[in-house]
Amino acid sequence: MASRTEVVRPGAGKPGPAGLAERAEGAAAILALGNDRVDAALLDAAGPALRVVALASMGYDAVDREAAATRGVVVTHTPGVLAETTADLAFALILMARRRLGAARDALAAGRWDLFRMDDYLGLDVHGSTLGLIGYGQIGRAVARRARGFGMRLLRHDPYALTAVADPESRAVDLPTLLAEADVVSLHVPLTPGTRHLIGAAELASMKSTATLVNTSRGGIVDEDALLQAVRDRVIHSAALDVFEREPMGAELSPLVGEPHVITLPHIGSATEATRAAMVDLAVDNVLEVLAGRPARTPLPGSSPTPSSRD
């Protein structure tokens, strides 16, 4: 069969998983986004020619790694190239939520600035406060570097770290201690069965009433119903989210969108021209390496083909 190259833009053909599976038939490689479901159905729809699925994403919770491995399909992702950009956004969300910048912006746009009041849009200081980082990988450490410029005290909790982190400028603590002491809790762990709803009603209740929760990782790490109730009941001060349990939303928005003390963005942590280009470049490099018979540059853990896999 002659090789083919096809570029499919959003909106072309059938939407969602059915459209991706239809386009993948007979392909040797698929370049997918982080929320594209890479499961047995997609792999079987592609057929025996498929050798590699390259994600233009750091996260890979939508990948069935066992299904890929047993079919001899290498799956790759794009770690490293988006850490600094995502950390920029995480810190922007901290500032927006703590200082209530979204509410102030919306009031100005609605023409409600007609006098000065000492109690309008009062936020909370970021400088000198305590930042708790749940997850201390590339992005978590990048956020920590920014926080030091604001004189923030740093706490970290990373149950998934493979090796101990030597960092005298932050203090390693257990999760209950971090939640109790932090003014800002920022999430930087992958979504796994062990981290799904890591932050629920009990965890939110253990935080300071003046605390802010920031999530730029994966939406499923937070129980969104519990968070909505916690913000409305003022159990915590505020939240800032770039990710949600259901993505994309379309017209059926999460009730967290528009909540006065919640800043929401549509999963744009890596959305700069340079970073998105670097992600695609790395994904393409992975495809070319695998198709040339060489090891992928950045394969997922456990994505190597098993002895029973296809040739």
Side-chain angles (χ1 to χ4, degrees):
M1 178 185 296
S3 63
R4 64 184 174 87
T5 300
E6 185 173 1
V7 177
V8 182
R9 292 179 172 81
K14 295 178 182 177
L20 182 59
E22 182 179 89
R23 294 285 186 170
E25 184 178 355
I30 298 172
L31 196 156
L33 302 181
N35 62 349
D36 286 327
R37 187 72 196 163
V38 180
D39 55 12
L42 174 65
L43 300 172
D44 290 341
L50 185 64
R51 295 174 60 187
V52 57
V53 176
L55 302 178
S57 166
M58 183 172 181
Y60 48 87
D61 47 280
V63 175
D64 185 336
R65 287 182 285 170
E66 182 178 356
T70 57
R71 289 163 175 78
V73 176
V74 176
V75 185
T76 69
H77 64 149
T78 57
V81 297
L82 52 78
E84 296 295 334
T85 298
T86 303
D88 284 346
L89 185 93
F91 212 85
L93 287 174
I94 292 171
L95 292 167
M96 289 186 71
R98 298 295 282 174
R99 292 297 307 273
R100 299 197 62 204
L101 301 183
R105 175 206 57 206
D106 292 346
L108 178 61
R112 296 197 300 269
W113 186 32
D114 53 0
L115 74 162
F116 281 105
R117 292 171 54 94
M118 289 295 287
D119 59 351
D120 271 348
Y121 314 113
L122 295 182
L124 299 171
D125 285 328
V126 174
H127 68 273
S129 63
T130 298
L131 172 63
L133 295 159
I134 300 179
Y136 208 60
Q138 294 175 345
I139 298 174
R141 293 194 298 271
V143 174
R145 289 194 295 273
R146 287 151 179 78
R148 292 186 186 109
F150 281 72
M152 300 181 82
R153 173 179 175 239
L154 295 175
L155 304 176
R156 54 184 165 89
H157 173 71
D158 193 349
Y160 301 100
L162 298 179
T163 58
V165 176
D167 184 358
E169 296 185 84
S170 64
R171 179 163 66 97
V173 296
D174 59 22
L175 183 58
T177 299
L178 185 147
L179 293 172
E181 295 187 12
D183 298 301
V184 179
V185 174
S186 190
L187 302 174
H188 304 286
V189 291
L191 179 60
T192 68
T195 61
R196 182 171 293 279
H197 287 188
L198 178 68
I199 303 298
E203 289 74 25
L204 292 162
S206 71
M207 294 168 61
K208 295 179 179 180
S209 61
T210 55
T212 298
L213 178 71
V214 177
N215 189 9
T216 56
S217 187
R218 283 293 186 267
I221 295 167
V222 177
D223 182 336
E224 291 184 359
D225 292 336
L227 176 60
L228 179 64
Q229 197 64 46
V231 173
R232 286 180 173 175
D233 292 346
R234 303 311 303 274
V235 173
I236 64 172
H237 173 267
S238 53
L241 310 172
D242 184 43
V243 290
F244 298 86
E245 294 196 75
R246 178 172 52 85
E247 297 181 1
M249 292 182 196
E252 187 182 345
L253 298 179
S254 163
L256 289 161
V257 178
E259 188 66 24
H261 286 268
V262 181
I263 300 293
T264 55
L265 295 175
H267 203 149
I268 58 169
S270 63
T272 68
E273 293 180 6
T275 296
R276 289 284 173 86
M279 292 166 67
V280 172
D281 286 347
L282 179 53
V284 171
D285 285 347
N286 276 313
V287 167
L288 295 176
E289 291 298 301
V290 173
L291 295 185
R294 297 185 291 266
R297 288 180 56 189
T298 52
L300 297 190
S303 70
S304 298
T306 62
S308 61
S309 64
R310 70 186 83 166
D311 292 328

